[in-house]
Amino acid sequence: MNDSLETEGPAEAAPAQGAPTEAVTPLIRGIAVLRELTEADGTLSLSALERATGLARSTVDRITATLSRMGYVRVDGRDVHLTPRLMELGNAYLSALRLPALLSARADALADELDESVSLAVADRDGIRFIHQATRRRAMSLSFRIGDLLPAERTAPGPLFASEWTDADWQRWRDRRASDPRDFSFPAVPPRTYRPDAKENEDFVRRAEEAAANGWALDDQLIEPGLVAVSVPVRSPRADDGKGNRGRVACVASVVSHTSRHTAHNLRTTLLPKLRAAVTEMERDLHSTPPPEPGAPPANLALWTGASKQKLGREFIESLARGLTVLTAFGEGRPELTLTEVAKATGLARATARRALITYEHLDLVTRTGDRTFALTPRVLSLGFPPLSRTTLPEIAQPHLSDLTSRIHESTSVAVLADSGEEIQYTARVATGRVMSVNITVGTRLPAYATALGRVLLADAPAPSPPLGPLRPLTPHTITDAQTLEKALTSVRSQGYALVNEELEEGLRSLAVPIRDRSGQVVAALNTAMHASRHTLRECVTDLLPALLVTATRIESDLHTAGRFTHVPLT
């Protein structure tokens, strides 16, 4: 079967200006909306999207309705917000790439050893894009995010990638420098205050030559004053010529610091040897790790888009939804796919998959890796990943809490176990509009043993160390005996929820369920609390518990997507 992209029929819609004849215009427009939202840090009003994209308001409304149905955006009044589920597109690229999964532990260990930030970056045409960050927590710290794009000439990794550029690559870089002299197309870096001159171009050429000769490169405050970095290439295990020569640069590892801690010269003399040693271990991991077995791609996507079209009618742009599903066909063990494999993975017709791939080639989101195979490019990370990579658990939970509160008409909260292990701390909350309601604010701490939230968290925790303090009687109903409390925690573990009746405060009844991370560990708890007169204990289980479990599952789904290649703070 032929897996090339020859024309087989008319396009679904008239192509956008400059696009191939068979490109899918609704898909191009949808990608434009996602990119504008990304550059706006994840949120724009509908009218601002209309202005930024140049699309008609009715078109913007239909695109956002489709993206909302897919779970990629949330429309709140007149504002559109990116949601964590959109990160599945970037996750598809990162899992297909494999480098973050194989090398991030080494980068994290080096950051701990040096007490400096360590990053991994890949080449994206004439720029670099971060795929992993191990950042130190300081008042003066880095703000780069996974997926951020930087101009090659203003970074330490750039010269290392440029050492492998072809004449066409260098010409593309010069054209970009001429058309965007102040780097406005790179929103992750401060724009230049002046236009670069010929000498700066020559300096970068020289830096690339030196990087090729030395095997490392420096950034001495090229992005902004005070920021310094040293970089070393991590090379692919595949040799280029079969004669034992080292492979091409797969990614670049960098140690990044501030001039208050290290000069560029000091980075080279003090930290470069340790960075090189870590890179040697990274390359050993790349050589020794066998390729993964192909995982199962998402199922029934074509059926889902068809059902959504039936439900929403004209407001659902099926060609946009189906086009976006093509990106999720790639993943771990599926880094390169033929057209037939893409169609099979998504359940789409070959003609539909082919038009999507044509469109993505035009947008630089997909590249040909052979006569019949295709792969995702780092540019997929430009679809929402940078702003979403800094998402916290409270931010993930908040819209789900709002939806839950509107359905059960009771206040809802998320809490985590405090460092002491004896208290819970509220991190997200939505109150219901009642005359008599539970008055708790984000940041409030309460004793874990006397709350439903606390018991869910304690039930999954190892034996308290140090042990829980004295179990004080807060009401006549409070459990104050350690053995009785342990029996209650055992019950919570077996039934999957905690129901606490008037133990924290008389008249207060609370029901809580766990929120688990990708490993299955309970990292937070979700609850609803109300006056005891509003729901009997039985009603809490029969009427409220199912809604809490559904909401916890939705929060977990977003948490698992967001946490696949990033660290999601719990507070």
Side-chain angles (χ1 to χ4, degrees), residues 3-30:
D3 285 308
S4 62
L5 298 185
E6 294 92 348
T7 299
E8 294 183 8
E12 286 187 76
Q17 186 175 5
T21 303
E22 291 239 67
V24 184
T25 296
L27 183 54
I28 294 175
R29 291 170 174 170

PDB file of all heavy atoms in Angstrom, residues 3-30:
ATOM      1  N   ASP A   3       2.105   4.748   1.022  1.00  0.00           N
ATOM      2  CA  ASP A   3       1.962   5.616   2.185  1.00  0.00           C
ATOM      3  C   ASP A   3       2.453   7.019   1.912  1.00  0.00           C
ATOM      4  O   ASP A   3       2.710   7.792   2.830  1.00  0.00           O
ATOM      5  CB  ASP A   3       2.729   5.044   3.385  1.00  0.00           C
ATOM      6  CG  ASP A   3       2.004   3.865   3.992  1.00  0.00           C
ATOM      7  OD1 ASP A   3       0.803   4.032   4.278  1.00  0.00           O
ATOM      8  OD2 ASP A   3       2.611   2.812   4.150  1.00  0.00           O
ATOM      9  N   SER A   4       2.638   7.396   0.660  1.00  0.00           N
ATOM     10  CA  SER A   4       3.018   8.766   0.348  1.00  0.00           C
ATOM     11  C   SER A   4       1.798   9.658   0.426  1.00  0.00           C
ATOM     12  O   SER A   4       0.695   9.192   0.682  1.00  0.00           O
ATOM     13  CB  SER A   4       3.649   8.844  -1.043  1.00  0.00           C
ATOM     14  OG  SER A   4       2.700   8.448  -2.014  1.00  0.00           O
ATOM     15  N   LEU A   5       1.988  10.956   0.209  1.00  0.00           N
ATOM     16  CA  LEU A   5       0.901  11.914   0.381  1.00  0.00           C
ATOM     17  C   LEU A   5       0.446  12.500  -0.944  1.00  0.00           C
ATOM     18  O   LEU A   5       0.202  13.687  -1.068  1.00  0.00           O
ATOM     19  CB  LEU A   5       1.340  13.036   1.329  1.00  0.00           C
ATOM     20  CG  LEU A   5       1.686  12.599   2.737  1.00  0.00           C
ATOM     21  CD1 LEU A   5       1.979  13.806   3.594  1.00  0.00           C
ATOM     22  CD2 LEU A   5       0.568  11.781   3.354  1.00  0.00           C
ATOM     23  N   GLU A   6       0.327  11.659  -1.987  1.00  0.00           N
ATOM     24  CA  GLU A   6      -0.156  12.189  -3.247  1.00  0.00           C
ATOM     25  C   GLU A   6      -1.608  12.637  -3.096  1.00  0.00           C
ATOM     26  O   GLU A   6      -2.353  12.157  -2.257  1.00  0.00           O
ATOM     27  CB  GLU A   6      -0.083  11.125  -4.358  1.00  0.00           C
ATOM     28  CG  GLU A   6       1.334  10.722  -4.711  1.00  0.00           C
ATOM     29  CD  GLU A   6       1.788   9.528  -3.914  1.00  0.00           C
ATOM     30  OE1 GLU A   6       1.096   9.175  -2.949  1.00  0.00           O
ATOM     31  OE2 GLU A   6       2.845   8.961  -4.235  1.00  0.00           O
ATOM     32  N   THR A   7      -2.026  13.542  -3.989  1.00  0.00           N
ATOM     33  CA  THR A   7      -3.393  14.021  -3.983  1.00  0.00           C
ATOM     34  C   THR A   7      -4.347  12.886  -4.332  1.00  0.00           C
ATOM     35  O   THR A   7      -4.146  12.169  -5.286  1.00  0.00           O
ATOM     36  CB  THR A   7      -3.562  15.165  -4.999  1.00  0.00           C
ATOM     37  OG1 THR A   7      -2.691  16.219  -4.617  1.00  0.00           O
ATOM     38  CG2 THR A   7      -4.980  15.665  -5.050  1.00  0.00           C
ATOM     39  N   GLU A   8      -5.398  12.728  -3.513  1.00  0.00           N
ATOM     40  CA  GLU A   8      -6.382  11.685  -3.778  1.00  0.00           C
ATOM     41  C   GLU A   8      -7.792  12.248  -3.898  1.00  0.00           C
ATOM     42  O   GLU A   8      -8.727  11.514  -4.152  1.00  0.00           O
ATOM     43  CB  GLU A   8      -6.365  10.632  -2.659  1.00  0.00           C
ATOM     44  CG  GLU A   8      -5.062   9.855  -2.605  1.00  0.00           C
ATOM     45  CD  GLU A   8      -5.107   8.778  -1.541  1.00  0.00           C
ATOM     46  OE1 GLU A   8      -6.176   8.547  -0.956  1.00  0.00           O
ATOM     47  OE2 GLU A   8      -4.063   8.167  -1.287  1.00  0.00           O
ATOM     48  N   GLY A   9      -7.966  13.506  -3.643  1.00  0.00           N
ATOM     49  CA  GLY A   9      -9.315  14.044  -3.700  1.00  0.00           C
ATOM     50  C   GLY A   9      -9.308  15.479  -3.271  1.00  0.00           C
ATOM     51  O   GLY A   9      -8.280  16.041  -2.886  1.00  0.00           O
ATOM     52  N   PRO A  10     -10.446  16.163  -3.301  1.00  0.00           N
ATOM     53  CA  PRO A  10     -10.522  17.563  -2.928  1.00  0.00           C
ATOM     54  C   PRO A  10     -10.303  17.767  -1.451  1.00  0.00           C
ATOM     55  O   PRO A  10     -10.593  16.904  -0.637  1.00  0.00           O
ATOM     56  CB  PRO A  10     -11.955  17.951  -3.346  1.00  0.00           C
ATOM     57  CG  PRO A  10     -12.712  16.667  -3.283  1.00  0.00           C
ATOM     58  CD  PRO A  10     -11.756  15.608  -3.704  1.00  0.00           C
ATOM     59  N   ALA A  11      -9.771  18.908  -1.094  1.00  0.00           N
ATOM     60  CA  ALA A  11      -9.562  19.230   0.323  1.00  0.00           C
ATOM     61  C   ALA A  11     -10.895  19.497   0.986  1.00  0.00           C
ATOM     62  O   ALA A  11     -11.891  19.798   0.350  1.00  0.00           O
ATOM     63  CB  ALA A  11      -8.655  20.453   0.445  1.00  0.00           C
ATOM     64  N   GLU A  12     -10.917  19.388   2.321  1.00  0.00           N
ATOM     65  CA  GLU A  12     -12.156  19.602   3.063  1.00  0.00           C
ATOM     66  C   GLU A  12     -12.590  21.054   3.032  1.00  0.00           C
ATOM     67  O   GLU A  12     -13.758  21.361   3.155  1.00  0.00           O
ATOM     68  CB  GLU A  12     -11.954  19.174   4.523  1.00  0.00           C
ATOM     69  CG  GLU A  12     -11.909  17.681   4.721  1.00  0.00           C
ATOM     70  CD  GLU A  12     -11.878  17.348   6.194  1.00  0.00           C
ATOM     71  OE1 GLU A  12     -12.909  17.442   6.844  1.00  0.00           O
ATOM     72  OE2 GLU A  12     -10.790  17.023   6.685  1.00  0.00           O
ATOM     73  N   ALA A  13     -11.633  21.968   2.927  1.00  0.00           N
ATOM     74  CA  ALA A  13     -11.975  23.388   2.937  1.00  0.00           C
ATOM     75  C   ALA A  13     -10.936  24.112   2.104  1.00  0.00           C
ATOM     76  O   ALA A  13      -9.851  23.598   1.835  1.00  0.00           O
ATOM     77  CB  ALA A  13     -11.984  23.926   4.376  1.00  0.00           C
ATOM     78  N   ALA A  14     -11.265  25.306   1.682  1.00  0.00           N
ATOM     79  CA  ALA A  14     -10.313  26.085   0.900  1.00  0.00           C
ATOM     80  C   ALA A  14      -9.058  26.322   1.724  1.00  0.00           C
ATOM     81  O   ALA A  14      -9.142  26.682   2.896  1.00  0.00           O
ATOM     82  CB  ALA A  14     -10.944  27.406   0.501  1.00  0.00           C
ATOM     83  N   PRO A  15      -7.876  26.111   1.181  1.00  0.00           N
ATOM     84  CA  PRO A  15      -6.648  26.252   1.956  1.00  0.00           C
ATOM     85  C   PRO A  15      -6.386  27.698   2.335  1.00  0.00           C
ATOM     86  O   PRO A  15      -6.789  28.620   1.646  1.00  0.00           O
ATOM     87  CB  PRO A  15      -5.572  25.720   1.010  1.00  0.00           C
ATOM     88  CG  PRO A  15      -6.139  25.931  -0.358  1.00  0.00           C
ATOM     89  CD  PRO A  15      -7.617  25.738  -0.226  1.00  0.00           C
ATOM     90  N   ALA A  16      -5.697  27.879   3.461  1.00  0.00           N
ATOM     91  CA  ALA A  16      -5.280  29.212   3.865  1.00  0.00           C
ATOM     92  C   ALA A  16      -4.219  29.710   2.898  1.00  0.00           C
ATOM     93  O   ALA A  16      -3.587  28.936   2.180  1.00  0.00           O
ATOM     94  CB  ALA A  16      -4.742  29.180   5.289  1.00  0.00           C
ATOM     95  N   GLN A  17      -4.008  31.006   2.891  1.00  0.00           N
ATOM     96  CA  GLN A  17      -3.055  31.606   1.966  1.00  0.00           C
ATOM     97  C   GLN A  17      -1.667  31.010   2.171  1.00  0.00           C
ATOM     98  O   GLN A  17      -1.148  30.954   3.271  1.00  0.00           O
ATOM     99  CB  GLN A  17      -3.019  33.116   2.167  1.00  0.00           C
ATOM    100  CG  GLN A  17      -2.151  33.837   1.141  1.00  0.00           C
ATOM    101  CD  GLN A  17      -2.242  35.342   1.307  1.00  0.00           C
ATOM    102  OE1 GLN A  17      -2.857  35.831   2.226  1.00  0.00           O
ATOM    103  NE2 GLN A  17      -1.610  36.070   0.389  1.00  0.00           N
ATOM    104  N   GLY A  18      -1.043  30.540   1.072  1.00  0.00           N
ATOM    105  CA  GLY A  18       0.293  29.973   1.141  1.00  0.00           C
ATOM    106  C   GLY A  18       0.335  28.524   1.528  1.00  0.00           C
ATOM    107  O   GLY A  18       1.403  27.904   1.508  1.00  0.00           O
ATOM    108  N   ALA A  19      -0.813  27.931   1.891  1.00  0.00           N
ATOM    109  CA  ALA A  19      -0.845  26.536   2.306  1.00  0.00           C
ATOM    110  C   ALA A  19      -1.021  25.636   1.088  1.00  0.00           C
ATOM    111  O   ALA A  19      -1.542  26.055   0.057  1.00  0.00           O
ATOM    112  CB  ALA A  19      -1.988  26.312   3.296  1.00  0.00           C
ATOM    113  N   PRO A  20      -0.595  24.373   1.195  1.00  0.00           N
ATOM    114  CA  PRO A  20      -0.820  23.428   0.099  1.00  0.00           C
ATOM    115  C   PRO A  20      -2.310  23.279  -0.200  1.00  0.00           C
ATOM    116  O   PRO A  20      -3.156  23.504   0.667  1.00  0.00           O
ATOM    117  CB  PRO A  20      -0.227  22.118   0.641  1.00  0.00           C
ATOM    118  CG  PRO A  20       0.711  22.526   1.721  1.00  0.00           C
ATOM    119  CD  PRO A  20       0.140  23.774   2.318  1.00  0.00           C
ATOM    120  N   THR A  21      -2.614  22.875  -1.421  1.00  0.00           N
ATOM    121  CA  THR A  21      -4.005  22.755  -1.852  1.00  0.00           C
ATOM    122  C   THR A  21      -4.809  21.831  -0.952  1.00  0.00           C
ATOM    123  O   THR A  21      -5.977  22.093  -0.654  1.00  0.00           O
ATOM    124  CB  THR A  21      -4.066  22.238  -3.302  1.00  0.00           C
ATOM    125  OG1 THR A  21      -3.317  23.114  -4.135  1.00  0.00           O
ATOM    126  CG2 THR A  21      -5.494  22.157  -3.800  1.00  0.00           C
ATOM    127  N   GLU A  22      -4.190  20.744  -0.482  1.00  0.00           N
ATOM    128  CA  GLU A  22      -4.928  19.759   0.307  1.00  0.00           C
ATOM    129  C   GLU A  22      -4.886  20.036   1.810  1.00  0.00           C
ATOM    130  O   GLU A  22      -5.392  19.235   2.601  1.00  0.00           O
ATOM    131  CB  GLU A  22      -4.362  18.371   0.032  1.00  0.00           C
ATOM    132  CG  GLU A  22      -4.651  17.884  -1.372  1.00  0.00           C
ATOM    133  CD  GLU A  22      -5.435  16.594  -1.349  1.00  0.00           C
ATOM    134  OE1 GLU A  22      -6.600  16.614  -0.920  1.00  0.00           O
ATOM    135  OE2 GLU A  22      -4.862  15.588  -1.758  1.00  0.00           O
ATOM    136  N   ALA A  23      -4.283  21.129   2.225  1.00  0.00           N
ATOM    137  CA  ALA A  23      -4.244  21.456   3.652  1.00  0.00           C
ATOM    138  C   ALA A  23      -5.657  21.725   4.171  1.00  0.00           C
ATOM    139  O   ALA A  23      -6.533  22.175   3.443  1.00  0.00           O
ATOM    140  CB  ALA A  23      -3.362  22.667   3.898  1.00  0.00           C
ATOM    141  N   VAL A  24      -5.866  21.426   5.449  1.00  0.00           N
ATOM    142  CA  VAL A  24      -7.179  21.576   6.081  1.00  0.00           C
ATOM    143  C   VAL A  24      -7.231  22.937   6.765  1.00  0.00           C
ATOM    144  O   VAL A  24      -6.617  23.146   7.813  1.00  0.00           O
ATOM    145  CB  VAL A  24      -7.428  20.443   7.096  1.00  0.00           C
ATOM    146  CG1 VAL A  24      -8.836  20.550   7.679  1.00  0.00           C
ATOM    147  CG2 VAL A  24      -7.232  19.090   6.436  1.00  0.00           C
ATOM    148  N   THR A  25      -7.975  23.861   6.179  1.00  0.00           N
ATOM    149  CA  THR A  25      -8.020  25.224   6.698  1.00  0.00           C
ATOM    150  C   THR A  25      -8.536  25.298   8.142  1.00  0.00           C
ATOM    151  O   THR A  25      -7.968  26.027   8.960  1.00  0.00           O
ATOM    152  CB  THR A  25      -8.863  26.116   5.779  1.00  0.00           C
ATOM    153  OG1 THR A  25      -8.215  26.181   4.504  1.00  0.00           O
ATOM    154  CG2 THR A  25      -8.989  27.523   6.335  1.00  0.00           C
ATOM    155  N   PRO A  26      -9.599  24.570   8.513  1.00  0.00           N
ATOM    156  CA  PRO A  26     -10.030  24.623   9.916  1.00  0.00           C
ATOM    157  C   PRO A  26      -8.938  24.183  10.888  1.00  0.00           C
ATOM    158  O   PRO A  26      -8.846  24.717  12.002  1.00  0.00           O
ATOM    159  CB  PRO A  26     -11.233  23.674   9.953  1.00  0.00           C
ATOM    160  CG  PRO A  26     -11.762  23.682   8.562  1.00  0.00           C
ATOM    161  CD  PRO A  26     -10.552  23.785   7.685  1.00  0.00           C
ATOM    162  N   LEU A  27      -8.105  23.233  10.468  1.00  0.00           N
ATOM    163  CA  LEU A  27      -7.011  22.788  11.335  1.00  0.00           C
ATOM    164  C   LEU A  27      -5.956  23.878  11.468  1.00  0.00           C
ATOM    165  O   LEU A  27      -5.441  24.132  12.571  1.00  0.00           O
ATOM    166  CB  LEU A  27      -6.403  21.507  10.771  1.00  0.00           C
ATOM    167  CG  LEU A  27      -5.291  20.844  11.583  1.00  0.00           C
ATOM    168  CD1 LEU A  27      -5.736  20.586  13.007  1.00  0.00           C
ATOM    169  CD2 LEU A  27      -4.849  19.539  10.903  1.00  0.00           C
ATOM    170  N   ILE A  28      -5.636  24.561  10.366  1.00  0.00           N
ATOM    171  CA  ILE A  28      -4.688  25.673  10.422  1.00  0.00           C
ATOM    172  C   ILE A  28      -5.206  26.759  11.352  1.00  0.00           C
ATOM    173  O   ILE A  28      -4.465  27.316  12.177  1.00  0.00           O
ATOM    174  CB  ILE A  28      -4.445  26.241   9.007  1.00  0.00           C
ATOM    175  CG1 ILE A  28      -3.734  25.204   8.130  1.00  0.00           C
ATOM    176  CG2 ILE A  28      -3.638  27.530   9.062  1.00  0.00           C
ATOM    177  CD1 ILE A  28      -3.568  25.630   6.689  1.00  0.00           C
ATOM    178  N   ARG A  29      -6.493  27.056  11.262  1.00  0.00           N
ATOM    179  CA  ARG A  29      -7.070  28.094  12.119  1.00  0.00           C
ATOM    180  C   ARG A  29      -7.097  27.668  13.583  1.00  0.00           C
ATOM    181  O   ARG A  29      -6.840  28.481  14.483  1.00  0.00           O
ATOM    182  CB  ARG A  29      -8.487  28.411  11.637  1.00  0.00           C
ATOM    183  CG  ARG A  29      -8.526  29.126  10.274  1.00  0.00           C
ATOM    184  CD  ARG A  29      -9.930  29.198   9.729  1.00  0.00           C
ATOM    185  NE  ARG A  29      -9.986  29.999   8.501  1.00  0.00           N
ATOM    186  CZ  ARG A  29     -11.040  30.082   7.720  1.00  0.00           C
ATOM    187  NH1 ARG A  29     -12.154  29.401   8.022  1.00  0.00           N
ATOM    188  NH2 ARG A  29     -11.017  30.836   6.624  1.00  0.00           N
ATOM    189  N   GLY A  30      -7.402  26.401  13.835  1.00  0.00           N
ATOM    190  CA  GLY A  30      -7.394  25.916  15.218  1.00  0.00           C
ATOM    191  C   GLY A  30      -6.016  25.983  15.843  1.00  0.00           C
ATOM    192  O   GLY A  30      -5.856  26.362  17.010  1.00  0.00           O
TER     193      GLY A  30
END
